[in-house]
Amino acid sequence: MSKKLRMGMIGGGTGSFIGDVHRKAASIDGLIELVCGAFSSNSEKSIQSGKNLFLSENRCYGSYEEMILKEKELPEDVRMDFVAIVTPNHMHFPPAKFALEHGFHVVCDKPVTLTLDEATELQKVIDKSGKLFALTHNYTGNAMVKQAKAMVHNGDLGNIRKIQVQYLQGWLSTSVESTDNKQAAWRTDPKRSGIGGALGDIGTHAENLVEYITGLKIEELAADLGRFGKGRTLDDDGNLLLRMENGAKGTMSISQIALGEENNLAIRVYGEKGSIEWHQENPNELITRWLDKPKQIFTPNGNGLYPESTSVTRIPAGHPEGYLEAFATIYKNFATHLMALKDGKNIKKPDYPTVEDGIRGMKFIYASVESDKNNAAWVKLN
């Protein structure tokens, strides 16, 4: 490739948290540039958002349909190469399907769709289109998460026996959705969020991290969900028991009403020979404990790392890398795959989350809701 990949964006207008994160992450490695967008369902706001990002007015569109159709008419070396979808959950499937059917690759925020039916339909659309699809479960891009996965895969911990994962936030401790907080408003609205509240927003991250690091599928779960916010119909808290496909046991705690917590995502994996522990709020340390040797702490670009970890670090040891860099790794790996595809090469198993991970997340949400409705009965994910 002699030029950067050209990205279009759907959603993520002025004031958007996640849109800004996507734009920063996509630009970190210098492989991608934003060239166009439909940044809001309000055409005037969309065009103004594009201007605020210094885009040409003729590449700022009033709707995603207009953007995709007009971009397709442009010369191949000018039009966008792929689209990033950074909208609320109910607006993931329609633009993703439209983009894929018109020949564009897609990067989409999680959870993959509003419903499980949409997710399975989207997989069919992706398969038929032959286009790439990436899902931004960004925590899997962290160097220490890559190290943890490699250690499990290489048998360093032995057979996995127990898993503990938590994702605790406190930002919904009060009824902020009744104020002008747009992020809270759509996340607590079933029409825009889906059947899962905290389950979809942070639970799918915890589920994905468990399956990514261990390489094991959650076979069944038992979920006890809470709806503590006044008038809320969607879960804002939950405790789950997990049974893994190899017989390992797990626990998961998620909450957005854990007062005082900020973004406390953490995971512990216990094997026969050793264990690992990682905290998102201290992402540059992977703590390992062993049956027959002292505790070790791994750090990005430090000693004793596997290539899977060193390949995603960008700066020397001792220089912190965190949320944006992990997010950027998803974009970098997607961009590398797309560039190889454009050059006639093939990457058999790309290292970024795909629609299959999205479907797992939707099955996790649906199984959890079903379990909770039946007094935390065990429910299989498949």
Side-chain angles (χ1 to χ4, degrees), residues 172-177 188 227 229-234 236 257:
L172 290 180
S173 293
T174 60
S175 300
V176 290
E177 64 267 29
T188 55
R227 296 160 187 84
K230 185 178 180 180
R232 286 181 191 155
T233 58
L234 296 180
D236 53 20
I257 52 88

Side-chain angles (χ1 to χ4, degrees), residues 162-265:
K162 184 177 180 64
I163 302 160
Q164 291 183 317
V165 64
Q166 66 186 46
Y167 202 151
L168 306 176
Q169 298 175 335
W171 73 290
L172 290 180
S173 293
T174 60
S175 300
V176 290
E177 64 267 29
S178 62
T179 67
D180 61 354
N181 189 317
K182 293 181 180 179
Q183 299 298 322
W186 77 257
R187 282 176 168 84
T188 55
D189 178 3
K191 293 181 180 178
R192 291 180 285 174
S193 183
I195 67 169
L199 280 170
D201 195 23
I202 58 177
T204 53
H205 273 310
E207 166 269 328
N208 180 257
L209 197 63
V210 166
E211 295 197 346
Y212 182 77
I213 288 178
T214 67
L216 301 170
K217 302 295 185 187
I218 300 171
E219 192 168 76
E220 55 184 338
L221 57 77
D224 180 22
L225 306 178
R227 296 160 187 84
F228 289 96
K230 185 178 180 180
R232 286 181 191 155
T233 58
L234 296 180
D235 61 280
D236 53 20
D237 183 81
N239 296 297
L240 297 85
L241 297 177
L242 311 175
R243 290 173 178 166
M244 309 303 292
E245 62 182 343
N246 75 329
K249 309 297 184 181
T251 62
M252 178 186 296
S253 180
I254 61 171
S255 185
Q256 293 181 311
I257 52 88
L259 186 64
E261 296 288 358
E262 294 178 344
N263 201 54
N264 189 354
L265 169 62

Side-chain angles (χ1 to χ4, degrees), residues 142 144 263-266 277-287 297-300 320-322:
N142 186 277
M144 293 298 92
N263 201 54
N264 189 354
L265 169 62
E277 179 177 350
W278 181 75
H279 295 258
Q280 191 278 148
E281 291 184 337
N282 187 20
N284 294 284
E285 288 189 355
L286 177 67
I287 302 168
I297 298 178
F298 294 94
T299 56
E321 296 186 71

Side-chain angles (χ1 to χ4, degrees), residues 143-153 157 213 276 278 286:
M144 293 298 92
V145 171
K146 300 287 189 192
Q147 175 69 11
K149 179 179 176 64
M151 293 176 73
V152 173
H153 177 76
L157 275 60
I213 288 178
I276 55 173
W278 181 75
L286 177 67

